[in-house]
């Protein structure tokens, strides 16, 4: 699991994003701002990672 800065929330609080990755290369990114799902990437049958989900946070 990796953690990095993702910016600030509405009231100026720091927001981080966490990246979780498994052995097959599938990745999920979530923030600590309400556990918002940022992206899901999974490898296809050719082992190329493809984005399955993208969320725009406003």
């Amino acid at each position: 699991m990796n953690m990095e800065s993702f910016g600030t929330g509405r009231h100026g609080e720091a927001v981080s994003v966490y990246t979780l990755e498994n052995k097959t290369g599938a990745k999920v990114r979530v923030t600590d701002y309400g556990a918002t799902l940022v992206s899901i990437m999974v490898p296809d049958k050719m082992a190329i990672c493809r984005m399955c989900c993208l969320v725009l946070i406003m």
Side-chain angles (χ1 to χ4, degrees), residues 24-39:
T24 65
K27 296 180 186 179
V28 176
R29 295 182 77 207
V30 295
T31 70
D32 57 5
Y33 191 70
T36 303
L37 180 62
V38 176
S39 66

Side-chain angles (χ1 to χ4, degrees), residues 2-5 7-8 10 14 18 20 22 24-25 30-31 40-41 44-46 48 50 53-54 56-58:
N2 294 329
M3 182 189 86
E4 60 188 274
S5 176
T8 57
R10 289 184 192 168
Y18 296 84
L20 307 165
N22 70 6
T24 65
V30 295
T31 70
I40 300 172
M41 296 188 72
D44 63 13
K45 63 183 177 182
M46 303 296 287
I48 299 171
R50 305 286 183 185
C53 174
L54 176 65
L56 177 61
I57 300 172
M58 297 181 146

Side-chain angles (χ1 to χ4, degrees), residues 5-26:
S5 176
F6 196 64
T8 57
R10 289 184 192 168
H11 304 290
E13 66 276 17
V15 177
S16 299
V17 64
Y18 296 84
T19 304
L20 307 165
E21 184 174 1
N22 70 6
K23 290 187 265 184
T24 65

